Amino acid sequence: MRILSIAWSAVLVCCAAGSGWADPLVARKDGKPSPSVVTEWKGDGKKVELSLKEDADPREVATAIESGVQGVRTKVRSGKVLVIGMAQEPLLEALTEVEVDNSDLDVLAEAASLDEEFDTGSSIRAKKTASLQALLKDRETTAVGTVVAVQSGAFPETRVEVRILSAPTGETLKEPLRKGQRVRFHPVIAMTDGGPDLTDAATQTNIGAWYLKKGDRVRVKVGAPVKGGFQAMLIIR
């Protein structure tokens, strides 16, 4: 019964991850770009400065732009995002196709804890969620990429091959995980009593990797190198 309970919780986690909503960076109104997550823009040649709505995370927006728009790089300064490498008009058109995921990791924790046996309390979950979000904001060790293949063993053992779209900025990771590289990640699963430890917030998220599909875009908190790839301390769609 316990393994079925764990598996069912994992299904709920995966469903919750897919139900988060997303906003385009730039909306389209009457056939023209209009404010959305990006509220204002100011272009000078191939440099465009973007102002964001108050609750937007500039680093997450910068990562989304580098992942979704070919041939540009970004800088975050004073709460704004500077995009370098594309003129304003084509950039705004491109940004209508780029979205920022607004799903909350706490939804994953909530779903995984529906079985009371694994419920750790909402205040604890909230603290763990904030901790996970902080991990993903560290660009030195965070990669963004597209799933190329998933090799699943006995639940929840998984290996995820990812094509890198945005490399970590840390010196030891930016070369082996450079843009365009295909990297195999091993999601870290904490175990207890022969099954996944669903009191561990990262494990609640990482078991969702078992359900990833080719083409999914993921963020990965990169861990230590292992045979054939790297550990994924956290991997989330």
Side-chain angles (χ1 to χ4, degrees):
M1 287 296 293
R2 186 173 185 210
I3 191 67
L4 290 176
S5 175
I6 292 171
W8 177 240
S9 294
V11 172
L12 290 173
V13 166
C14 190
C15 292
S19 65
W21 53 276
D23 279 337
L25 294 184
V26 174
R28 189 183 298 277
K29 186 176 182 180
D30 298 328
K32 297 181 180 180
S34 63
S36 180
V37 176
V38 175
T39 56
E40 295 180 340
W41 43 83
K42 180 172 62 176
D44 181 11
K46 290 192 175 182
K47 292 183 179 180
V48 183
E49 185 179 72
L50 306 176
S51 299
L52 310 177
K53 65 181 183 179
E54 188 175 338
D55 61 348
D57 185 323
R59 292 192 179 278
E60 288 191 3
V61 170
T63 298
I65 292 172
E66 288 188 1
S67 301
V69 182
Q70 290 281 341
V72 302
R73 57 191 178 91
T74 62
K75 292 183 179 180
V76 175
R77 59 186 190 187
S78 302
K80 298 182 179 182
V81 178
L82 178 66
V83 184
I84 303 168
M86 187 175 289
Q88 177 175 295
E89 185 174 343
L91 175 64
L92 294 178
E93 287 295 327
L95 294 184
T96 63
E97 303 296 328
V98 178
E99 296 180 338
V100 175
D101 187 1
N102 290 279
S103 58
D104 190 338
L105 283 177
D106 197 39
V107 174
L108 303 180
E110 192 107 14
S113 66
L114 286 180
D115 185 330
E116 292 183 0
E117 180 180 359
F118 300 108
D119 192 358
T120 60
S122 59
S123 61
I124 296 175
R125 286 198 301 272
K127 291 177 182 177
K128 289 180 177 178
T129 297
S131 176
L132 296 186
Q133 292 285 24
L135 288 177
L136 290 171
K137 289 180 181 178
D138 178 8
R139 295 191 67 188
E140 288 195 355
T141 55
T142 298
V144 178
T146 302
V147 174
V148 175
V150 179
Q151 182 181 9
S152 298
F155 181 84
E157 289 297 321
T158 313
R159 301 292 178 264
V160 183
E161 188 172 348
V162 174
R163 181 172 64 85
I164 302 299
L165 298 174
S166 177
T169 59
E171 288 298 324
T172 61
L173 294 176
K174 66 181 181 181
E175 177 57 27
L177 276 71
R178 64 188 181 276
K179 186 174 181 178
Q181 191 82 347
R182 290 166 65 137
V183 180
R184 180 172 292 182
F185 288 105
H186 301 231
V188 174
I189 305 293
M191 305 293 286
T192 181
D193 298 329
D197 181 5
L198 293 185
T199 66
D200 178 72
T203 295
Q204 291 174 1
T205 300
N206 286 348
I207 57 177
W210 205 77
Y211 298 94
L212 287 172
K213 297 183 183 299
K214 182 178 179 180
D216 285 342
R217 194 171 78 173
V218 292
R219 289 181 291 166
V220 184
K221 171 70 174 179
V222 184
V226 293
K227 185 176 180 180
F230 288 83
Q231 287 184 328
M233 307 308 295
L234 191 67
I235 181 167
I236 184 169
R237 186 171 57 178

